[in-house]
Amino acid sequence: MAATTPDTAAAAPRKRRDRTHYLYIAVIVAVALGIAVGLIWPDAAVQLQPLGTGFVNLIKMMISPIIFCTIVLGIGSVRKAAKVGAVGGIALGYFLVMSLVALAIGLVVGNLLHPGAGLHLTSALKQTGHAQVSSDALPPVDFVLSVIPKTFVSAFTEGQVLQTLLVALLAGFALQAMGTAGQPVLRGIEHIQRLVFRILSMVMWAAPLGAFGAIAAVTGSAGLDALKSLAVLMLGFYVTCVLFVFVVLGAVLRIFAGVNVFSLCRYLAREFLLILSTSSSESALPRLIAKMEHLGVSKPVVGITVPTGYSFNLDGTMIYMTMASLYIADALGTPMSVGEQIPLLLFLLLASKGAAGVSGAGLATLAGGLQSHKPALVDGVGLIVGIDRFMSEARALTNFAGNAIATVLVGTWTKEIDKVRVAKVLSGELPFDETVMDATAGTVAEVPEPREERLAKA
């Protein structure tokens, strides 16, 4: 047999060129231009808000199908329902513990700073505060019942994340029980997922325009002067979020998973930039799923932990609502005792579920929670409306970082993570192929199989 020469060898498939770095450079430029326009022409900048709102709405449009496909495929790829229950139980237990830790940290910092002391509340601000109370705020029992959709399809048409989670869990377990008969359906859902990611990759090219409009509008409406009196609250909140992610979560990640939090955040740098420009952690949800699978966490763990975390693991929102509640109480001249603070914050812990990812949802949740538990404090919500968008950035970034770290931890505790691959990915030896999200519509190559399947093959 003749030796194969370079001329006769089969031509290797040409690798698609990564053009996504241009997208993120454009986002950075758009943010800078938006700030400049907001400061120079504030009145005109406020009128650009629909650009940012439109882009976030496009992203939200894709969230329900993404969550449905991810959870169904994650559960359907596990042979035993007990495995899914173990992953979900560990994830929910971790989410509850870290939410309580975030509440406690916000409580300590808020009581140390007392940033709202000495402020005066006008009647206009009182009206603004009451306007933020969402009609969707429900008491605990009604909230639980609202998780059940009216119809199977309405979970997708109404954009309710928790309803989508419920339907996806039921569908995933049903397909798992069907065994081989359910494989054609799973393959069909895989194709739907590719279609969804393809649409999303097209939508993402509007990110610079959305970032420009959103940043310009918030800069033009708030301005620099309006932020001075609230600088202590903002600074305290940002510092608290940074310390929580890099000290508290970083220590947990290092101790239990042996992973450096700075390396993980550097790996997710593009996603953090996307969130920073949109104030919505949902904009990075599909990329987090893809990157966690590429990192070495198994598909079932990613499919269960990430979507569930977007509704139940809201560390940034917990810190925000704690500090904001104490700030408002101090500003109204009615500081709360610790005995009053704890019941209110535990109530907000329940009320916040399902609020992640939506820009401004944290403020509406805070207002609704105060209206239900301590109505006198709703008057003071108007004090933080002007800076809520800036605080929304830190909320979304902290929520996103918390979910990424949770996925690695749950993968470690369930032994569904390839630690050798993690080390190679975080060191840059196995970089994430950015063309994957575009070329194969969200399918990440070389995703490790679930541990039980690897053992079965062995």
Side-chain angles (χ1 to χ4, degrees):
M1 183 175 178
T4 303
T5 65
D7 293 333
T8 59
R14 186 176 179 181
K15 187 177 180 180
R16 288 193 60 167
R17 185 179 178 185
D18 177 17
R19 297 178 298 166
T20 58
H21 63 281
Y22 296 120
L23 172 62
Y24 294 98
I25 292 173
V27 169
I28 294 173
V29 173
V31 169
L33 289 176
I35 294 173
V37 170
L39 294 176
I40 299 171
W41 301 291
D43 293 336
V46 173
Q47 304 303 317
L48 298 174
Q49 178 61 44
L51 295 177
T53 303
F55 175 71
V56 173
N57 287 344
L58 284 172
I59 296 293
K60 288 166 60 179
M61 173 184 73
M62 310 303 301
I63 294 304
S64 289
I66 288 171
I67 288 178
F68 177 80
C69 293
T70 302
I71 290 181
V72 171
L73 292 175
I75 295 176
S77 63
V78 182
R79 290 195 178 96
K80 297 180 180 179
K83 187 66 176 180
V84 177
V87 173
I90 291 173
L92 288 175
Y94 170 81
F95 295 159
L96 177 61
V97 171
M98 293 316 299
S99 293
L100 291 173
V101 170
L103 279 175
I105 291 175
L107 195 68
V108 171
V109 175
N111 280 294
L112 289 175
L113 291 180
H114 291 292
L119 291 181
H120 301 285
L121 191 67
T122 65
S123 58
L125 284 176
K126 288 183 180 181
Q127 295 175 2
T128 303
H130 283 280
Q132 296 298 321
V133 179
S134 173
S135 59
D136 297 330
L138 300 173
V141 175
D142 292 338
F143 168 76
V144 173
L145 292 176
S146 70
V147 175
I148 305 174
K150 296 178 182 177
T151 67
F152 189 90
V153 180
S154 66
F156 305 97
T157 58
E158 295 180 4
Q160 297 293 328
V161 174
L162 292 180
Q163 292 183 0
T164 306
L165 279 172
L166 176 62
V167 172
L169 287 170
L170 294 174
F173 281 118
L175 287 171
Q176 185 185 66
M178 290 172 64
T180 55
Q183 291 302 311
V185 180
L186 283 174
R187 285 194 293 270
I189 293 176
E190 285 182 0
H191 290 300
I192 294 174
Q193 186 187 48
R194 291 193 179 99
L195 171 63
V196 170
F197 275 90
R198 170 65 71 181
I199 296 173
L200 188 70
S201 68
M202 297 163 60
V203 170
M204 289 309 300
W205 286 98
L209 189 63
F212 170 75
I215 297 296
V218 71
T219 305
S221 61
L224 295 180
D225 293 336
L227 304 179
K228 290 180 181 178
S229 64
L230 298 163
V232 175
L233 175 63
M234 286 182 59
L235 182 61
F237 179 59
Y238 270 74
V239 170
T240 304
C241 288
V242 170
L243 292 177
F244 179 78
V245 171
F246 291 104
V247 177
V248 178
L249 294 182
V252 174
L253 185 64
R254 169 63 75 178
I255 293 170
F256 292 101
V259 175
N260 186 290
V261 67
F262 293 99
S263 299
L264 182 63
C265 289
R266 184 170 62 251
Y267 173 62
L268 298 171
R270 290 193 177 189
E271 289 67 43
F272 282 118
L273 173 62
L274 185 61
I275 294 170
L276 186 65
S277 63
T278 62
S279 291
S280 173
S281 56
E282 282 187 349
S283 60
L285 171 60
R287 290 182 59 85
L288 178 61
I289 292 171
K291 280 203 163 181
M292 287 295 101
E293 291 180 359
H294 175 77
L295 182 65
V297 185
S298 70
K299 184 181 284 291
V301 170
V302 174
I304 296 168
T305 306
V306 173
T308 307
Y310 262 66
S311 287
F312 291 96
N313 191 34
L314 312 176
D315 300 328
T317 304
M318 293 295 98
I319 297 172
Y320 164 80
M321 290 197 296
T322 304
M323 296 184 66
S325 298
L326 297 180
Y327 172 84
I328 290 170
D330 288 343
L332 293 176
T334 57
M336 293 184 289
S337 65
V338 175
E340 293 177 305
Q341 293 172 15
I342 294 177
L344 170 62
L345 296 175
L346 291 178
F347 178 83
L348 290 174
L349 173 64
L350 175 63
S352 67
K353 301 313 176 189
V358 183
S359 180
L363 184 64
T365 302
L366 173 66
L370 292 177
Q371 174 68 28
S372 300
H373 195 82
K374 202 171 180 65
L377 295 182
V378 178
D379 290 346
V381 174
L383 284 167
I384 61 174
V385 170
I387 63 164
D388 179 70
R389 179 56 187 250
F390 293 97
M391 298 180 75
S392 177
E393 313 274 4
R395 282 201 306 267
L397 291 169
T398 306
N399 290 340
F400 178 81
N403 284 315
I405 291 171
T407 305
V408 176
L409 288 171
V410 173
T412 301
W413 290 328
T414 56
K415 295 182 173 61
E416 291 287 334
I417 188 171
D418 187 339
K419 292 190 176 181
V420 175
R421 183 181 178 89
V422 170
K424 290 182 177 180
V425 170
L426 294 184
S427 66
E429 198 175 330
L430 286 175
F432 180 75
D433 184 4
E434 292 292 341
T435 61
V436 165
M437 294 296 293
D438 186 38
T440 61
T443 303
V444 181
E446 300 181 16
V447 176
E449 296 174 304
R451 181 171 177 266
E452 60 185 37
E453 294 187 13
R454 294 199 303 271
L455 292 176
K457 288 182 179 180

